[in-house]
Amino acid sequence: MQVDVAIIGAGAAGMMCAAHAPGRVLIVDHAKAPGEKIRISGGGRCNFTNLHCAPHAFLSRNPHFAKSALARYTQWDFIDLVDRHGIAWHEKTLGQLFCDTSAKEIIAMLRRLMQQNGVDLRLRASASDFAKTPNGFRFTLIEDGSTREVLAKILVMASGGKSIPKMGASSLAYEVATQFGLAVTETRPALVPFTFPQERFAGLSGVAAPARVTAGAQSFDEALLFTHRGLSGPAVLQASSYWREGEEISVNLSPTADLLTALKTQRAASGRRNLTTALAAHLPARLVDHLAPEMQLSGNLADQSDSRLVEICAWLSDWRLKPGGTEGYRTAEVTLGGIDTDALSAKTMEAKTVPGLFFIGEAVDVTGWLGGYNFQWAWSSAMAAAGALSA
């Protein structure tokens, strides 16, 4: 089989690139359906981009690398594409955009675009034994128990990272990069819940609260959720990308309210009220009960001096915790790290030392915040590659 462009991976980046690449395009995926991560994302409604998408919301060893692709295919471009295909959407918090009905609409849109572009989609198939040839690349396509050789002028690796292995995640892109002499940075799970030893928060499982969670030098104000195994929720998932094993995180349980003033006001109005009862007006009652022994919360409000209330509020605004680890790739939404951006052109996503070899999407060392940023990177990096192929 001879093709102009072979794309490995029919996820968000792979389908977007296939839909816009020139010539005869082959796209290969081992799943039974394309876009499986799209299908399950956003609670089944696909948080397909973010109104506030900008380079500051992406992690990479080279913080400037993503600027070119994000600037040349923006969130507004993808929103326009969605609108032209009649997909209704709505904004949730912090600029997050979701389909009104189903993530399957995004998949259907991409499939239509691929069909219009004459793309040859091969599912339940795999690619292996990649090699460089004088005119491009050669690899083995394994499909329905049989094998055949594929010759492609261009090879685009869009096979993603290691996150959510039950969806078929693999390290294929990293292996191909290494084979062709490209460096791969350290990879680890990102946007992932924290775990704690001895099921520390098992008794609080299901309790949620607004919080500011800080890891490293980065803080996020969103919901925190206690789980049987540890901590989750948007604020925690965001902070996990900045956390390193063995480090503490800081949790501010009163990120927007002036808790000290509120408690002093309550003390003046109803000093005989129990301290834990007073705190339960600002924090979940189960959480206050859990913290009471550790913080030695006892007595009535009237019994608490100003200095004691200051101490309590300071503790609640900087609750220091040391996670035992994370849930790992099993539940991580993305993989942090990947193909070293020093090896790629920021404008085209092409390998600098291997002409015709491209890496796009999650496989690259560019990781976005929670809330549609990683999908936007998929769209933008895919269009950067497709645009280079059309030039």
Side-chain angles (χ1 to χ4, degrees), residues 157-178:
M157 296 302 302
S159 52
K162 301 177 182 178
S163 58
I164 318 183
K166 70 177 181 180
M167 301 296 292
S170 75
S171 58
L172 179 62
Y174 312 138
E175 294 166 7
V176 170
T178 301

Side-chain angles (χ1 to χ4, degrees), residues 23 36 66 68 79 116 137 144 201-202 209 254 327 331 349 359 364 369 372 389:
E36 284 292 86
S68 177
I79 292 168
Q116 292 167 8
F137 299 86
D144 297 327
F201 300 117
S254 183
E327 293 275 5
T331 60
M349 312 305 295
F359 291 87
V364 180
W369 287 355
L389 300 179

Side-chain angles (χ1 to χ4, degrees), residues 340-359:
D340 194 332
T341 56
D342 285 348
L344 305 177
S345 162
K347 184 177 180 181
T348 66
M349 312 305 295
E350 185 176 16
K352 294 176 180 177
T353 57
V354 188
L357 178 62
F358 293 73
F359 291 87

Side-chain angles (χ1 to χ4, degrees), residues 220-293:
F220 294 94
D221 285 28
E222 291 190 70
L224 174 150
L225 174 68
F226 293 91
T227 72
H228 189 76
R229 290 172 54 84
L231 296 177
S232 188
V236 168
L237 298 184
Q238 295 278 40
S240 71
S241 296
Y242 295 84
W243 176 80
R244 301 292 299 204
E245 193 164 346
E247 293 179 347
E248 286 187 329
I249 62 170
S250 170
V251 177
N252 182 345
L253 292 168
S254 183
T256 58
D258 185 348
L259 185 58
L260 178 60
T261 298
L263 289 176
K264 286 182 177 179
T265 300
Q266 286 178 273
R267 183 180 61 184
S270 49
R272 298 185 64 180
R273 177 175 292 182
N274 187 277
L275 173 60
T276 55
T277 302
L279 283 170
H282 307 280
L283 303 172
R286 284 170 59 191
L287 176 57
V288 174
D289 289 342
H290 175 87
L291 295 174

Side-chain angles (χ1 to χ4, degrees), residues 49-57 75-76 91 93-96 373:
T49 193
N50 194 293
L51 294 177
H52 308 305
C53 194
H56 75 274
Q75 60 269 43
W76 312 112
E91 179 186 354
T93 58
L94 303 174
Q96 302 171 27
Y373 294 95

Side-chain angles (χ1 to χ4, degrees), residues 80-101:
D80 179 64
L81 180 65
V82 167
D83 286 343
R84 283 189 279 116
H85 284 261
I87 299 174
W89 52 270
H90 60 277
E91 179 186 354
K92 283 193 175 179
T93 58
L94 303 174
Q96 302 171 27
L97 303 189
F98 290 79
C99 297
D100 280 358
T101 54

Side-chain angles (χ1 to χ4, degrees), residues 1-4 6 128-140 149-155 179-180 353-357:
M1 181 189 298
Q2 294 189 353
V3 298
D4 294 304
S128 61
D129 303 322
F130 296 89
K132 191 79 174 70
T133 70
N135 297 315
F137 299 86
R138 180 183 68 247
F139 63 89
T140 300
E149 185 177 80
V150 177
L151 299 175
K153 296 176 183 177
I154 300 294
L155 178 62
Q179 175 188 339
F180 287 105
T353 57
V354 188
L357 178 62

